[in-house]
Amino acid sequence: MLSVCVEFAFIPDAPCTIMSTNMRLIVFLVGYATVASASATEMRGPPPVGRSREKRLSPPGEPVPDSRQCRCNCPPPREGPPGIPGPPGLSGPPGPPGPPGYPGIPGRDGRDAITLINSDDICDRSSGGGTTPPTSGAVYTHWGRPDCIGESELVYSGIAAGSRHRDLPGGGTNILCLPHDPVFKDPQDGEGRSRAFLYSVQYQIGDFPPLNSLDLHDVSCAVCKATGRFSQVMIPAKPVCPSSDWTLEYEGYLMAERSHSVHSKSTFICVDSSPVPIPGTSSSLNYDSGLLDLVEPRCTQDGGGLPCDTFPAGNELTCAVCTL
């Protein structure tokens, strides 16, 4: 038997009813009678004042349900597919400024200014203008003399020191300028048997007439400050500076430990061409010392050595110390 859902649209607030096909005729007759009765009521006119033509079936305070709304167990509505995105909106106005950030970490102490700042950008080195004279400058070691030349300021004078020329492996390869007045901290009595040792450095030059008088004398040195200048360079193989922008502090000869089977390696240093040895040092060979000798190039024409056209074998190499 077929069942249908019938909505009494002509009866206000009528619920949806499930009915069989055999009852449809009865429903139709009842509905027809109801319509006829409603038409007669409209012909009689409106009801008296104060009476409502619509009978409220809902509790007070609730909206009157729509009589045309189906109240049966129909399937719930399904959500349709999403629509296409709309066009982008207009840009809004700028927002208010944010709160201040956290303070940064402290910067460096200015040591990088040695290579980035020209001294003329810091102070006026002329005598006039009322400016404060500079106090910083480029620091270099003046090998072979206990003093500084020109406008450079003496930081301290000392004696050249290094490892023994025929020592066992170990120790340092560089040459130091030791001050004459060392200060020790918590010294222990007695000589240590497992230490690195320092010795004075002597000249070992006996076949170069300009410097033969220095043979086996201790090497003097001085640490100097070129006030108002901020860069320094040692130029090997040339006794002049790169350009007139540089100041020549001193020129001399390139020296190092002698190349020999029993000698240790050392750094190359630039020794003043007019050296002054340590006063009172003897001219007798001291095997407990480092030894300095002149430097010569070794050249070849087919690689493996310096080019012979510019570095002929046997020529003593010069040097220069310059500041900017």
Side-chain angles (χ1 to χ4, degrees):
M1 179 175 61
L2 178 66
S3 296
V4 296
C5 177
V6 179
E7 179 181 0
F8 294 96
F10 45 81
I11 301 177
D13 302 328
C16 181
T17 307
I18 304 299
M19 305 186 69
S20 66
T21 54
N22 296 334
M23 297 178 65
R24 276 195 258 179
L25 180 60
I26 300 174
V27 170
F28 173 78
L29 295 176
V30 173
Y32 180 81
T34 304
V35 171
S37 176
S39 299
T41 303
E42 291 178 358
M43 294 177 60
R44 287 195 299 268
V49 177
R51 296 180 58 187
S52 173
R53 294 181 58 190
E54 181 177 334
K55 183 178 180 180
R56 178 178 295 273
L57 300 179
S58 301
E62 295 185 3
V64 177
D66 189 353
S67 62
R68 292 168 297 177
Q69 182 177 2
C70 179
R71 296 177 180 272
C72 57
N73 296 327
C74 300
R78 292 181 298 173
E79 183 178 356
I84 61 174
L90 300 177
S91 300
Y102 294 104
I105 61 176
R108 289 172 61 90
D109 56 5
R111 70 189 72 175
D112 294 334
I114 293 177
T115 57
L116 299 178
I117 302 176
N118 189 292
S119 59
D120 292 332
D121 297 332
I122 299 177
C123 56
D124 183 7
R125 286 183 285 175
S126 63
S127 58
T131 58
T132 302
T135 58
S136 59
V139 178
Y140 64 93
T141 302
H142 190 183
W143 297 107
R145 293 187 63 94
D147 54 6
C148 302
I149 299 176
E151 299 177 356
S152 295
E153 174 187 348
L154 178 66
V155 179
Y156 70 87
S157 62
I159 180 173
S163 296
R164 192 170 68 169
H165 73 281
R166 56 175 66 199
D167 226 344
L168 295 174
T173 59
N174 58 321
I175 300 175
L176 303 175
C177 184
L178 294 183
H180 292 296
D181 54 347
V183 177
F184 300 98
K185 183 177 182 180
D186 300 328
Q188 302 298 312
D189 294 335
E191 294 184 3
R193 301 187 61 182
S194 299
R195 298 283 193 271
F197 301 106
L198 275 177
Y199 306 91
S200 66
V201 174
Q202 292 180 324
Y203 295 105
Q204 191 178 23
I205 304 172
D207 56 354
F208 188 68
L211 300 178
N212 282 346
S213 61
L214 299 174
D215 191 34
L216 303 180
H217 284 76
D218 290 348
V219 180
S220 62
C221 60
V223 174
C224 307
K225 180 181 72 172
T227 305
R229 294 185 285 275
F230 295 87
S231 297
Q232 67 90 14
V233 62
M234 189 274 279
I235 302 176
K238 295 184 72 172
V240 295
C241 295
S243 68
S244 59
D245 295 332
W246 293 80
T247 299
L248 177 65
E249 298 299 333
Y250 71 94
E251 53 85 21
Y253 294 98
L254 197 64
M255 295 190 187
E257 188 75 42
R258 177 176 293 184
S259 298
H260 192 275
S261 60
V262 297
H263 287 246
S264 301
K265 293 183 179 297
S266 73
T267 53
F268 293 94
I269 63 174
C270 185
V271 179
D272 197 293
S273 59
S274 300
V276 176
I278 296 292
T281 54
S282 64
S283 58
S284 60
L285 180 61
N286 183 357
Y287 288 103
D288 285 339
S289 68
L291 297 174
L292 281 183
D293 203 349
L294 296 164
V295 178
E296 295 180 359
R298 288 294 177 93
C299 69
T300 61
Q301 297 294 353
D302 55 356
L306 296 172
C308 293
D309 54 345
T310 52
F311 293 92
N315 287 8
E316 289 75 18
L317 292 174
T318 57
C319 58
V321 172
C322 307
T323 58
L324 177 66

